[in-house]
Amino acid sequence: MITTPSAVPAWSQANLTFEQFERIAGLITTVCGIVLTPAKCTMLESRLRRRLQANGLESFAAYVELLADPQRRAGELQALIDAVTTNHTAFWREPAHFEFLQAGGLAALLPEIADRPLRAWSAACSSGEEPYTLAMVLAEALPAVSERGFTILATDISTAMLQKAARAIYREKEVAPLPERLKERHLLRERDGSGLYRVRPELRRRVRLAQLNLTDRIWQLGGPQDLILCRNVLIYFGQGTREQILRRLCQHLRPGGILCLGHADHILGCTLPLRMLRANIYQRL
Ligand SMILES: C[S@@+](CC[C@H](N)C(=O)[O-])C[C@H]1O[C@@H](n2cnc3c(N)ncnc32)[C@H](O)[C@@H]1O
């Protein structure tokens, strides 16, 4: 019996030339600040092959052409951003920040707040693990939640990640890093044997998800923040963009407010109205 090998689609073998890489990488930096060094050429090639397929294209030359046309680019840009952002995150990631809040960092914020809700912002929230972890910590540490309460604004540039955050359903492996007590109190285990966990609606209601590009000049945050988590995103930007964003973060943080950066982020070389409290934890002057 003769079997015909299934044809290998052209998009799956398309190669990205260095010139095409530079064109696409340049557009990405312009749109969302992410700097891709030439070492990322292979990564970009493999991540974008699916975009060729989705657009019915066979080569990166055709994709670059699509991106050069303002009208076609407008329809592709979000998918391009979703494809190139690195969204790695986890519940209880870099616990030193949450432990700092539990051990008095949060209490120190309260006198300034009087009886309004505490305002926190997770500024690159990816698929939601960070803002939901924070929500659990705040719910535990502010027992009088009903009186004072808190709100968390959770933003990201990736709509694919925001959709996952909005579902607020996670696999057992994903929720595993959370302390048992938080898991028990704030997650619901699905009863269908799927091993999935859902964030309790009371907690979800405290987290407002929105798309926000950190490189945009104007951020609509609804008032100065008491606490900002901007973790593991600044590393993707160039020094100038990083500095501009840090300056704007300070403008949106009220005096005495707390800023937590990721372990790989730093504020070296930037003059900012911040004093360091712990590694990667700063207070607005
Ligand atoms: C590595 S994840 C970090 C997630 C989380 N903060 C944490 O530390 O676990 C980086 C996130 O930054 C987002 N991001 C990248 N560029 C951005 C931009 N210009 N504006 C807003 N978010 C951006 C990505 O979509 C991604 O979800």
Side-chain angles (χ1 to χ4, degrees):
M1 191 176 70
I2 302 166
T3 55
T4 335
S6 56
V8 180
W11 61 263
S12 70
Q13 299 201 314
N15 291 317
L16 182 66
T17 66
F18 186 63
E19 200 193 329
Q20 291 157 352
F21 165 79
E22 286 202 307
R23 295 276 292 275
I24 300 173
L27 175 66
I28 292 166
T29 306
T30 307
V31 172
C32 60
I34 296 173
V35 175
L36 297 173
T37 61
K40 294 281 174 8
C41 190
T42 312
M43 178 276 277
L44 194 67
E45 181 183 81
S46 74
R47 288 194 185 182
L48 291 188
R49 280 197 182 122
R50 287 273 164 208
R51 296 311 311 152
L52 301 189
Q53 182 192 26
N55 285 289
L57 304 175
E58 297 199 339
S59 69
F60 281 106
Y63 191 64
V64 168
E65 216 173 279
L66 180 158
L67 294 175
D69 173 342
Q71 221 175 340
R72 293 170 75 206
R73 179 174 61 220
E76 174 62 12
L77 216 47
Q78 186 61 53
L80 172 65
I81 291 169
D82 286 345
V84 300
T85 48
T86 298
N87 309 113
H88 174 74
T89 187
F91 280 103
W92 208 245
R93 186 180 190 187
E94 299 185 30
H97 296 151
F98 304 114
E99 286 158 2
F100 163 81
L101 292 172
Q102 288 171 326
L106 199 53
L109 283 174
L110 297 183
E112 295 290 318
I113 297 177
D115 50 7
R116 69 162 170 81
L118 180 141
R119 278 195 291 262
W121 178 27
S122 165
C125 68
S126 189
S127 40
E129 288 86 333
E130 177 179 285
Y132 292 131
T133 299
L134 180 62
M136 291 178 199
V137 169
L138 295 184
E140 294 291 315
L142 302 172
V145 155
S146 52
E147 281 168 40
R148 191 193 301 270
F150 62 89
T151 59
I152 298 176
L153 173 65
T155 64
D156 201 280
I157 197 170
S158 164
T159 49
M161 288 304 111
L162 290 168
Q163 278 162 18
K164 185 171 177 205
R167 280 197 298 276
I169 297 176
Y170 299 93
R171 284 172 294 155
E172 187 157 14
K173 202 168 80 185
E174 291 170 319
V175 303
L178 280 168
E180 255 341 284
R181 178 182 153 78
L182 295 186
K183 246 194 283 186
E184 274 163 26
R185 287 169 59 100
H186 301 289
L187 298 176
L188 293 165
R189 198 191 169 111
E190 299 285 21
R191 287 161 193 252
D192 56 5
S194 59
L196 294 174
Y197 287 78
R198 186 183 288 270
V199 179
R200 279 187 178 274
E202 315 81 273
L203 206 69
R204 246 173 28 219
R205 278 197 288 274
R206 303 219 166 249
V207 178
R208 183 166 71 83
L209 295 160
Q211 188 182 32
L212 185 146
N213 182 347
L214 287 167
T215 63
D216 281 351
R217 295 207 159 271
I218 305 213
W219 300 338
Q220 306 283 2
L221 304 184
Q225 305 296 305
D226 301 300
L227 171 64
I228 299 178
L229 268 56
C230 185
R231 309 190 311 165
N232 306 307
V233 60
L234 297 176
I235 39 162
Y236 298 106
F237 304 143
Q239 175 67 15
T241 306
R242 192 182 309 152
E243 204 168 331
Q244 271 173 13
I245 293 175
L246 279 163
R247 226 173 285 129
R248 236 173 289 149
L249 287 170
C250 291
Q251 285 162 9
H252 287 271
L253 189 61
R254 62 128 169 118
I258 302 289
L259 171 66
C260 297
L261 301 179
H263 67 283
D265 302 319
H266 63 81
I267 63 166
L268 291 177
C270 309
T271 311
L272 298 165
L274 294 173
R275 78 179 173 107
M276 191 164 134
L277 298 177
R278 305 266 169 89
N280 288 316
I281 304 181
Y282 301 89
Q283 184 170 42
R284 173 78 160 84
L285 295 172

